[in-house]
């Protein structure tokens, strides 16, 4: 499958929210328990170091965001990354392509560290981050509850 990776525009946000809300409703990959609206994603897109979408045949099939980890200037060399792929397009290396693009951009911004927050119940994302050289650096056990089930947060970091 051939995809075009472009910066996320305000016009892409509706599709981004559709993909994110799929994971809200069907998994532990997205933390909210109820679907989210477009407005928070518009704000996140504006505040991000980089927000990307993957398009196939003109349709958004995935997105990635790299945002500041913390507002304090002492953390300016650290960013947090997230990526979500339409379930019909997983397993086609889009996550790896997104990560490569985020790393390229991070280097131009003098970012040395990437962090990722992953649900303990998201085996695919846990394996993805380990495969791509992220190291587990923290684990908050059973701090979340979604759909009556406890889940933890596993933090990963990668020096780039």
């Amino acid at each position: 499958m051939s995809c075009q990776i472009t910066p996320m525009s305000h016009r892409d946000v509706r599709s981004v929210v559709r993909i994110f809300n799929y994971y809200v409703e069907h998994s532990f990959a997205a933390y909210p328990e109820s679907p989210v609206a477009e407005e928070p994603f518009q704000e996140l897109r504006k505040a991000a170091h980089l927000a990307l979408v993957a398009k196939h045949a003109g349709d958004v099939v995935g997105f990635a965001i790299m945002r500041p980890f913390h507002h304090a200037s002492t953390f300016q060399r650290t960013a947090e990354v997230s990526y979500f792929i339409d379930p019909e397009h997983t397993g086609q290396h889009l996550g790896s392509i997104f990560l490569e693009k985020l790393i390229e951009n991070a280097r131009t911004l003098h970012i040395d560290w990437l962090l990722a927050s992953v649900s303990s119940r998201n085996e695919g994302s846990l394996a993805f981050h380990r495969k791509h050289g992220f190291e587990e650096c923290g684990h908050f056990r059973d701090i979340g509850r979604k759909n009556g089930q406890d889940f933890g947060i596993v933090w990963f970091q990668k020096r780039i």
Side-chain angles (χ1 to χ4, degrees), residues 10 13-14 17 21 36-47:
H10 69 279
V13 171
R14 176 171 286 152
V17 170
N21 281 336
V36 300
E38 289 181 31
E39 184 58 32
F41 271 89
Q42 291 288 9
E43 295 303 315
L44 180 59
R45 180 184 65 82
K46 293 175 190 173

Side-chain angles (χ1 to χ4, degrees), residues 12-24:
D12 296 323
V13 171
R14 176 171 286 152
S15 296
V16 164
V17 170
R18 175 189 52 79
I19 292 167
F20 185 79
N21 281 336
Y22 171 85
Y23 289 98
V24 167

Side-chain angles (χ1 to χ4, degrees), residues 34-70:
S34 303
V36 300
E38 289 181 31
E39 184 58 32
F41 271 89
Q42 291 288 9
E43 295 303 315
L44 180 59
R45 180 184 65 82
K46 293 175 190 173
H49 290 306
L50 183 63
L52 300 171
V53 293
K55 292 184 179 180
H56 176 67
D59 295 326
V60 174
V61 297
F63 69 94
I65 296 174
M66 180 174 62
R67 62 190 170 279
F69 166 67
H70 196 278

Side-chain angles (χ1 to χ4, degrees), residues 71-87:
H71 66 275
S73 64
T74 53
F75 293 104
Q76 66 187 6
R77 66 187 194 126
T78 304
E80 186 177 349
V81 294
S82 300
Y83 4 74
F84 288 86
I85 312 297
D86 184 290

Side-chain angles (χ1 to χ4, degrees), residues 1-9 11-12 16 19 51-64 85 89 92-94 97-98 101:
M1 175 185 74
S2 173
C3 283
Q4 181 183 15
I5 308 295
T6 63
M8 184 188 301
S9 76
R11 292 180 303 279
D12 296 323
V16 164
I19 292 167
L52 300 171
V53 293
K55 292 184 179 180
H56 176 67
D59 295 326
V60 174
V61 297
F63 69 94
I85 312 297
H89 294 88
Q92 298 174 24
H93 305 290
L94 277 178
I97 293 167
F98 275 140
K101 298 283 187 192

